[in-house]
């Protein structure tokens, strides 16, 4: 008999009775979208929870990326990483800019600051790094380069909800950071996202842009878009915020169990926690060295699939390998050796707050020989 399906992720869901009570309040008020009371409260509570000065809600994690580039009038070339979800590069393209891929650090999976300078040309205007798996980028080094060349830094922090370095939110790095609250992420509002900024003036401008550029009833101050979050998803978000710490702790326990066992498996490596960092355990990537392990990454991936355990090959293929972007000069394999190595060896193991000890055993037994 086939065992039950273990999915790679499972959404954090609010309690239905609590949700119902809040939905009743929305229904009674008849204010269902456009910066309603729960929208305002969620922005307030998220800023407090995350430890950031200003935040604007968005309807997903892609639109704040698009809007950030638009807000800063970014043109020309934007330096980015191929080791991410495809939305990172799409946002650059949708702004009429040219993505320039730079190789990653082989241990963190994040853009290697040491490779950035060589990719800068007179057309470069911004850097878009990603905190992959929620592991912090080398933000100091990136900022130093940005300051020297006068570049904006927009972090795709879709994986980095709640991540802190020495008590400081990683979302405060750079000029702007963006979050995704998609159902597959640590914290979700079904679909949703946000942008984090440093000052009130930027928040004001962003809030205009996410509402078609309207600044008041009769004035449009920019080519805006619609990314307004409704009241239903706002209350869903408020309820999930109350339980996200418990979910992160449950994920941490899963990571501890995985590491305990996988530490002794030759040919399998994983990322350790970094001292001083508050991790969110958004993903648990393992890396297969086929020669030592004796099985290829894809064979293990298939073996898990057949056993009804779903891993994900995040991020394979690299963004630079998709036909849309393969033609870019920076997409060449020789330019991105570390990214290719990681993409070819990675499997993200199931990671969420509801994995049972039995599930974890089943997953580990498939990997341990
Ligand atoms: C999920 C994700 C996005 C896109 O977020 P959506 O909410 O799905 O639009 C962007 N970048 C990265 C790195 C992601 O993982």
């Amino acid at each position: 008999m086939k065992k039950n399906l273990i999915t790679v992720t499972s959404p954090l869901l609010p309690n239905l009775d609590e949700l119902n009570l809040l939905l009743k309040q929305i229904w009674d008020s008849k204010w269902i979208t456009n910066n309603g009371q729960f929208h305002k409260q969620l922005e307030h509570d998220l800023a407090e929870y995350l430890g950031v000065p200003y935040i604007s809600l968005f309807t997903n994690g892609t639109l704040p990326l698009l809007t950030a580039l638009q807000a800063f009038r970014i043109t020309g070339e934007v330096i980015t990483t191929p080791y991410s979800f495809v939305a990172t590069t799409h946002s650059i393209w949708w702004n009429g800019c040219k993505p320039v891929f730079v190789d990653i650090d082989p241990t963190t999976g994040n853009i290697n600051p040491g490779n950035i300078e060589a990719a800068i040309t007179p057309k470069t205007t911004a850097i878009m790094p990603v905190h992959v798996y929620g592991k912090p980028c080398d933000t100091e080094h990136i900022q130093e380069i940005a300051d020297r060349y006068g570049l904006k830094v927009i972090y795709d922090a879709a994986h980095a909800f709640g991540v802190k370095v020495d008590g400081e939110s990683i979302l405060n790095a750079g000029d702007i950071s963006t979050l995704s609250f998609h159902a597959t992420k640590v914290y979700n509002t079904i679909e949703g996202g946000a942008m984090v900024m440093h000052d009130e003036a930027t928040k004001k401008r962003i809030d205009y842009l996410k509402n078609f550029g309207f600044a008041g009833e009769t004035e449009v101050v920019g080519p805006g878009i619609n990314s307004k979050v409704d009241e239903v998803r706002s209350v869903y978000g408020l309820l999930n915020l109350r339980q996200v710490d418990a979910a992160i702790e449950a994920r941490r326990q899963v990571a501890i169990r995985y590491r305990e066992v996988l530490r002794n498996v030759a040919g399998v490596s994983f990322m350790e926690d970094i001292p001083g960092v508050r991790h969110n355990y958004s993903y648990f990537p393992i890396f297969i060295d086929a020669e030592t392990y004796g099985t290829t990454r894809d064979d293990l991936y298939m073996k898990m699939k057949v056993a009804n355990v779903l891993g994900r090959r995040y991020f394979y293929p690299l963004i630079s390998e998709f036909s849309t972007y393969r033609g870019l000069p920076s997409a060449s394999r020789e330019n991105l050796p570390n990214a290719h190595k990681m993409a070819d060896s990675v499997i993200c193991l199931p990671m969420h707050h509801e994995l049972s000890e039995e599930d974890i055993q089943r997953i580990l037994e498939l990997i341990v020989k």
Side-chain angles (χ1 to χ4, degrees):
M1 200 184 75
K2 206 156 176 177
K3 290 191 175 148
N4 68 307
L5 184 71
I6 301 180
T7 52
V8 73
T9 184
S10 177
L12 190 60
L13 293 168
N15 175 285
L16 271 180
D17 294 331
E18 288 179 340
L19 184 61
N20 246 321
L21 284 174
L22 291 170
L23 289 178
K24 176 81 167 60
Q25 285 187 42
I26 298 171
W27 265 233
D28 287 345
S29 77
K30 298 191 196 307
W31 189 303
I32 59 176
T33 187
N34 283 36
N35 203 24
Q37 60 161 324
F38 292 114
H39 178 285
K40 284 184 193 143
Q41 196 188 330
L42 182 56
E43 284 193 345
H44 171 270
D45 290 6
L46 275 171
E48 201 170 82
Y49 174 86
L50 295 169
V52 301
Y54 297 96
I55 190 165
S56 289
L57 298 180
F58 277 75
T59 50
N60 57 56
T62 303
L63 280 162
L65 286 169
L66 283 174
T67 308
L69 294 166
Q70 194 57 230
F72 291 137
R73 298 190 173 85
I74 298 299
T75 58
E77 297 175 3
V78 178
I79 291 173
T80 190
T81 169
Y83 197 76
S84 179
F85 182 60
V86 72
T88 314
T89 303
H90 281 344
S91 71
I92 297 169
W93 197 268
W94 270 65
N95 274 273
C97 299
K98 184 173 162 188
V100 176
F101 298 114
V102 157
D103 204 12
I104 60 169
D105 179 301
T107 53
T108 65
N110 291 328
I111 195 166
N112 186 345
N115 292 336
I116 291 177
E117 253 183 295
I120 295 174
T121 77
K123 289 185 181 160
T124 310
T125 56
I127 308 171
M128 187 178 275
V130 182
H131 303 293
V132 178
Y133 310 131
K135 303 279 178 195
C137 286
D138 186 346
T139 55
E140 263 176 48
H141 194 168
I142 292 170
Q143 197 58 51
E144 180 205 302
I145 297 166
D147 289 344
R148 199 139 31 90
Y149 288 87
L151 309 175
K152 292 285 183 195
V153 184
I154 296 153
Y155 282 99
D156 181 341
H159 299 179
F161 185 91
V163 173
K164 291 187 175 178
V165 180
D166 299 325
E168 164 86 15
S169 173
I170 192 72
L171 304 172
N172 288 327
D175 292 285
I176 268 176
S177 292
T178 67
L179 290 162
S180 166
F181 303 155
H182 183 253
T184 53
K185 308 296 208 268
V186 171
Y187 169 81
N188 83 88
T189 58
I190 307 178
E191 294 274 353
M195 192 193 293
V196 168
M197 59 287 280
H198 303 301
D199 58 87
E200 201 176 352
T202 307
K203 170 160 169 62
K204 209 165 178 182
R205 178 156 170 75
I206 295 300
D207 285 344
Y208 293 154
L209 287 177
K210 78 173 197 195
N211 184 23
F212 308 101
F214 274 109
E217 238 176 89
T218 53
E219 184 136 29
V220 171
V221 294
I225 193 126
N226 180 5
S227 198
K228 295 187 272 64
V229 172
D230 62 74
E231 290 292 273
V232 173
R233 280 194 269 172
S234 297
V235 293
Y236 182 105
L238 282 167
L239 292 174
N240 263 356
L241 193 54
R242 294 187 199 159
Q243 43 172 3
V244 72
D245 276 336
I248 290 173
E249 175 55 23
R251 287 166 173 269
R252 191 174 77 86
Q253 294 301 330
V254 176
I256 289 173
R257 288 286 292 121
Y258 278 157
R259 286 177 181 147
E260 234 168 52
V261 174
L262 296 178
R263 205 174 292 291
N264 304 311
V265 181
V268 175
S269 57
F270 50 82
M271 292 172 172
E272 300 281 2
D273 283 357
I274 304 160
V277 173
R278 195 265 186 159
H279 293 284
N280 65 3
Y281 307 93
S282 47
Y283 298 86
F284 195 90
I286 61 168
F287 306 96
I288 306 299
D289 175 353
E291 217 160 283
T292 313
Y293 184 61
T295 304
T296 66
R297 184 275 307 268
D298 287 339
D299 284 347
L300 175 61
Y301 171 76
M302 281 314 295
K303 179 182 164 191
M304 289 167 60
K305 203 167 181 171
V306 168
N308 244 358
V309 173
L310 302 184
R312 285 301 290 267
R313 286 169 290 186
Y314 279 150
F315 288 100
Y316 168 87
L318 295 173
I319 302 175
S320 50
E321 288 296 293
F322 291 125
S323 56
T324 329
Y325 298 118
R326 210 158 40 202
L328 291 168
S330 63
S332 76
R333 189 170 255 275
E334 307 78 69
N335 188 42
L336 309 166
N338 294 331
H340 274 278
K341 193 160 178 241
M342 199 168 266
D344 290 343
S345 63
V346 70
I347 300 178
C348 284
L349 298 186
M351 174 50 93
H352 57 81
H353 61 291
E354 283 178 320
L355 285 172
S356 66
E357 178 56 31
E358 199 188 337
D359 293 334
I360 296 170
Q361 292 272 6
R362 242 178 85 197
I363 297 159
L364 287 169
E365 273 165 21
L366 288 163
I367 304 167
V368 178
K369 308 203 189 181

